[in-house]
Amino acid sequence: EAQVTQNPRYLITVTGKKLTVTCSQNMNHEYMSWYRQDPGLGLRQIYYSMNVEVTDKGDVPEGYKVSRKEKRNFPLILESPSPNQTSLYFCASSLLAGALSYEQYFGPGTRLTVT
Amino acid sequence: GENVEQHPSTLSVQEGDSAVIKCTYSDSASNYFPWYKQELGKRPQLIIDIRSNVGEKKDQRIAVTLNKTAKHFSLHITETQPEDSAVYFCAAFYGNKLVFGAGTILRVKS
């Protein structure tokens, strides 16, 4: 089954404790991205990746890191989480982006609470 | 700047009526405009998209129109049904960066 998976689905952590949210897709998509969703603000792109070893900042990259060592995986790293990073996070992938854009397939979401 | 403005933020319609949601973008180079539907507690899912070389696209009860000159695009849902109740997001690509509108909560009253 074609899908995007994220883990964990729910996470409660404390300020400053490093964490990683994993994202994996099995559709051989080139484009992967991370979004955070906050009430009234819609979906805001954190980072995106056009392909292996190519990552770029989205609209809200501060406090986050990503890596793309393999085509299927795109982990989101919070080195020192803070309460303002409490949010619902979505990973997404698509075949291509930009001029040849295709549908973004979203993962199930990760609800993160930082206390 | 790179933003997408979406209106209205909430929309209530009677079952069977039409619903229209409008979005405005700022980059004339943007050429792909998707619409996503997000039901409560679920992930966003694409419902329709349009490319800049097309002015209108339909898929059963939903349609999207694009006015490149005015830099706005709209989602039209006809004969609304209770299952259309959800949050709808428009989006536009700025280069390789996807920017979403803030969303519209659509409530269909039966």
Side-chain angles (χ1 to χ4, degrees):
Chain A
E1 180 191 353
Q3 60 182 345
V4 178
T5 57
Q6 292 178 230
N7 282 291
R9 295 288 314 280
Y10 303 91
L11 179 59
I12 301 174
T13 189
V14 295
T15 300
K17 187 177 180 182
K18 181 179 178 180
L19 67 91
T20 299
V21 184
T22 64
C23 173
S24 183
Q25 51 93 5
N26 62 0
M27 296 170 279
N28 201 36
H29 283 170
E30 292 190 1
Y31 187 92
M32 295 186 75
S33 59
W34 277 101
Y35 301 88
R36 60 177 290 172
Q37 184 173 23
D38 303 289
L41 297 176
L43 293 147
R44 293 179 293 168
Q45 195 173 50
I46 302 170
Y47 270 95
Y48 64 94
S49 169
M50 295 291 289
N51 214 323
V52 175
E53 302 294 357
V54 180
T55 62
D56 274 301
K57 295 178 180 179
D59 280 335
V60 288
E62 295 78 20
Y64 305 94
K65 284 175 59 177
V66 293
S67 68
R68 187 94 181 270
K69 293 185 172 59
E70 306 164 283
K71 198 170 188 178
R72 62 182 296 129
N73 296 324
F74 190 46
L76 179 70
I77 303 155
L78 284 72
E79 295 269 4
S80 182
S82 61
N84 64 11
Q85 293 178 298
T86 293
S87 188
L88 178 59
Y89 291 87
F90 286 101
C91 179
S93 72
S94 65
L95 189 61
L96 287 168
L100 299 175
S101 303
Y102 287 90
E103 174 178 359
Q104 298 271 309
Y105 289 84
F106 283 84
T110 295
R111 186 164 293 281
L112 172 66
T113 302
V114 184
T115 61
Chain B
E2 298 169 338
N3 68 317
V4 176
E5 292 190 6
Q6 183 172 347
H7 299 281
S9 56
T10 60
L11 179 58
S12 289
V13 299
Q14 205 65 37
E15 182 178 358
D17 288 349
S18 295
V20 180
I21 303 169
K22 298 181 179 179
C23 289
T24 305
Y25 62 98
S26 56
D27 186 356
S28 57
S30 296
N31 55 18
Y32 176 70
F33 308 93
W35 284 90
Y36 286 84
K37 176 184 180 182
Q38 186 178 28
E39 296 177 350
L40 191 63
K42 297 197 175 177
R43 72 193 80 184
Q45 290 194 299
L46 182 76
I47 54 171
I48 197 166
D49 56 12
I50 192 167
R51 298 178 194 277
S52 58
N53 58 348
V54 175
E56 183 176 3
K57 184 177 178 181
K58 286 183 181 178
D59 183 2
Q60 299 182 334
R61 292 186 300 108
I62 60 173
V64 56
T65 58
L66 172 64
N67 182 326
K68 283 203 71 180
T69 303
K71 299 196 192 71
H72 64 71
F73 57 112
S74 300
L75 177 71
H76 304 254
I77 306 174
T78 59
E79 300 173 23
T80 53
Q81 300 167 4
E83 53 264 38
D84 293 330
S85 295
V87 181
Y88 292 81
F89 294 99
C90 61
F93 264 101
Y94 288 88
N96 295 315
K97 198 163 65 170
L98 186 58
V99 179
F100 283 82
T104 296
I105 300 171
L106 175 63
R107 296 190 183 96
V108 180
K109 298 174 285 186
S110 55

